[in-house]
Amino acid sequence: MSFLLPKLTSKKEVDQAIKSTAEKVLVLRFGRDEDPVCLQLDDILSKTSSDLSKMAAIYLVDVDHTPVYTQYFDISYIPSTVFFFNGQHMKVDYGRLRQEIRLSPGGGGCSEQRSHHYTPAW
């Protein structure tokens, strides 16, 4: 489904998308078009892109065409997603988040049953 989402094929195009996407989350999927895992993620992103169009712009970026960003964002897993809002990189540290949940009072991760957990019905 990669062909359904817009592609950024150069550093200049990525720079332009970062600078020009305002008041929306910019989602950059770094990967390769022929990678099976990338294709799975692309399928999910393409199915949700119209529903998210008012709040997010989604682009595909080939890691082989943008080595500057691949190195800058330390992309070592394919696919990887990078998020921006109003030109600012949104950093996510999943390891630290898990640690804070365990250390917080009443924290116990998702193994602990709580009434505020939501399970989608799909």
Side-chain angles (χ1 to χ4, degrees), residues 5-120:
L5 293 168
K7 296 179 186 178
L8 304 176
T9 58
S10 68
K11 179 188 180 303
K12 183 178 180 179
E13 289 179 356
V14 174
D15 289 342
Q16 183 61 33
I18 293 169
K19 291 175 188 173
S20 66
T21 304
E23 299 305 317
K24 288 185 180 183
V25 174
L26 173 64
V27 180
L28 300 177
R29 189 280 285 149
F30 285 84
R32 293 183 180 95
D33 289 343
E34 67 278 357
D35 183 87
V37 179
C38 290
L39 290 172
Q40 289 176 343
L41 178 57
D42 294 352
D43 184 43
I44 294 167
L45 291 172
S46 68
K47 287 177 181 176
T48 59
S49 65
S50 63
D51 293 334
L52 299 175
S53 64
K54 291 183 180 179
M55 63 183 92
I58 303 169
Y59 292 95
L60 307 180
V61 182
D62 190 305
V63 293
D64 298 321
H65 293 223
T66 55
V68 170
Y69 279 117
T70 303
Q71 291 174 348
Y72 182 78
F73 293 121
D74 193 25
I75 293 172
S76 52
Y77 296 106
I78 303 296
S80 289
T81 50
V82 178
F83 303 93
F84 288 85
F85 186 74
N86 289 337
Q88 298 296 311
H89 180 216
M90 297 170 58
K91 296 181 182 178
V92 180
D93 185 353
Y94 295 107
R96 184 172 177 179
L97 180 62
R98 271 183 277 182
Q99 182 181 17
E100 288 175 2
I101 289 171
R102 276 183 288 190
L103 296 176
S104 67
C110 290
S111 61
E112 195 174 298
Q113 288 190 345
R114 296 185 184 174
S115 60
H116 66 273
H117 279 216
Y118 170 73
T119 305

